[in-house]
Amino acid sequence: MMQPVVRCADVERSYPEIAERISRMTGVLRAHAIGPGDNVALMLWNSIEFLELSAAIAAVGANPVPINWHLRASEVQYLLQDSVSKLLFVHSAALSEIAMTVPDGVDLIEVEMSPGLQQALGLPVLDQTQHRTLESWVNESAPVDAVSSSTGGMGVIYTSGTTGKPKGVVRQPVSVAQLERMALTVVDRFGLQPGTRTLLLAPLYHAAANTTAMIAFRVQADITIMPRFDAREFLRLVDEHRIEHCQVVPTMFVRLLELPEHERGQYDLSTLENVTHTAAPCPPHVKRAMIDWLGPVVTEYYGSSEVGAIAWCDSREWLEHAGTVGKPTFGAAVRVIADDGTEQPANESGLVYVKPAEFWPDFTYLGDDSKRTAMEVEGYVTLGDIGYVDSDGYLYLNDRASDMAVAGGVNIYPAEIEATIIAIPGVRDVAVFGIPDNEFGEVLAAHIDVDPQFGLTAESIRADLRSQLARYKVPRTIVFDNALPRDESGKLFKRQLRDQYWEGAGRKI
């Protein structure tokens, strides 16, 4: 059996090579006086260095702070200041955007990018460095054998900021026992073990992808890293490397299903044993199509950066409870609370409160403990989702509380309408939200990305909706928009769409 490796674009490293590099990186961190409790920012594309540096930072008891490389200079400056990061590792291609706005007191180390990585990202190949590079530091640093006995923190993960400025989620340092229990959970649900062939394709700055990647790294799985997701390249890599496991987001399912069926059939995907999705709602017809294509290997979990995975379901469970996001497992629990504070019975909607598994570390928000306190009731916290639990204990989500529209005193959940619109042939993406109205307070607007070949019109979409939904759920305003603001984890930034309608309307957003 071949020894597992980690590969990305044109770079491949064995685990013994990686172990030595991490020990040298630990020396680099100590040379910059990084120790327990410190924060170290990583503004990196998916790469082997992302995993190596994350492990080295944890080894000295510090916290990695992944930064979304999509962010502009002012946004990066805010995160560096808010997290009080002492050191920033940044890929060469991102330097020109942020170098002039890095706050005083933050040391900057450039991370060079291989030609293959730059090519995979569609970036011009850079042949000149601008700052002291990671590799120069690593080459000069002696391996450090004795590292902190602490496992370090689990990192400071910033939420995507869909309702305001990003918030830093700070989780308590984990004990070795907790880490082992978390790893066993991943092994149990994902089948990740030493040598498992896994494909990392979601952005590693996202909590779900980051956690799974680091556990795969710790157990020494055979890891293939995609710099950025591409549907055809995904199929090619699964076929070439006989991939057994991967974690995706629903927008990736959509992109895969858009490929012609004859093209999809050219690749052997029979080695896939577990395709897990999370991070955003998956339209039921999309998930059913993926199960029909890949077989009963599609699993799902519901959770967040704050509380980890709460509920899980496999393909069989989902087909028996279509639309569910899973059932609480590993000691996690769910309660659904009505507006009056009472607990709702089965099949009645309310605000969803969750209690994480006992081995998941507690959390707070960086610099804002009061927000953490305000979201808790009797040990349960709410993530802002509205939903219900059926008589079998499976959780279903209606929508985000912040997305709910109130028209003439009637609560309307845009997610239901989005699921109906996305099923219309020719619709590629959709966002539905409330906009101001003098008579009803709010009415619905829909921004829809359509394939022009299908000839869809606003009226044809309304006619389709009227045949399936109550008339008050049919959007009054329909805008065709081929640039809906989603990040690579599938998060939809409705605020960016909604704000243009509510600006000056006096609504609390």
Side-chain angles (χ1 to χ4, degrees), residues 147-187:
V147 298
S148 169
S149 59
S150 167
T151 61
M154 291 181 65
V156 178
I157 298 289
Y158 274 83
T159 63
S160 50
T162 55
T163 58
K165 281 191 177 294
K167 302 180 296 294
V169 178
V170 183
R171 293 170 291 199
Q172 290 182 343
V174 294
S175 66
V176 172
Q178 281 179 293
L179 192 62
E180 288 176 351
R181 185 70 190 279
M182 291 167 67
L184 287 173
T185 300
V186 173
V187 168

Side-chain angles (χ1 to χ4, degrees), residues 110-137:
E110 180 178 350
V111 180
E112 294 177 83
M113 307 173 74
S114 72
L117 178 59
Q118 293 174 75
Q119 183 178 11
L121 293 168
L123 299 171
V125 176
L126 303 174
D127 56 6
Q128 187 172 355
T129 58
Q130 305 170 53
H131 295 264
R132 182 78 184 273
T133 67
L134 173 64
E135 292 307 313
S136 66
W137 277 104

Side-chain angles (χ1 to χ4, degrees), residues 406-426:
V406 182
V410 177
N411 293 346
I412 303 176
Y413 301 118
E416 175 193 11
I417 303 156
E418 289 168 346
T420 307
I421 294 175
I422 198 71
I424 298 173

Side-chain angles (χ1 to χ4, degrees), residues 297-362:
V297 300
V298 180
T299 62
E300 177 176 1
Y301 71 88
Y302 165 73
S304 73
S305 307
E306 292 89 340
V307 297
I310 296 294
W312 298 74
C313 67
D314 58 24
S315 294
R316 177 191 59 79
E317 290 174 301
W318 189 88
L319 290 171
E320 293 174 355
H321 301 82
T324 184
V325 296
K327 190 174 186 178
T329 54
F330 304 112
V334 171
R335 297 174 64 185
V336 178
I337 306 299
D339 291 342
D340 63 5
T342 60
E343 188 165 355
Q344 293 281 51
N347 301 310
E348 293 293 330
S349 294
L351 194 59
V352 177
Y353 281 77
V354 301
K355 178 184 285 187
E358 62 181 14
F359 53 81
W360 189 261
D362 198 8

Side-chain angles (χ1 to χ4, degrees), residues 392-419:
D392 294 324
Y394 286 88
L395 174 65
Y396 299 73
L397 301 180
N398 297 334
D399 217 329
R400 297 283 297 167
S402 59
D403 288 341
M404 185 181 72
V406 182
V410 177
N411 293 346
I412 303 176
Y413 301 118
E416 175 193 11
I417 303 156
E418 289 168 346

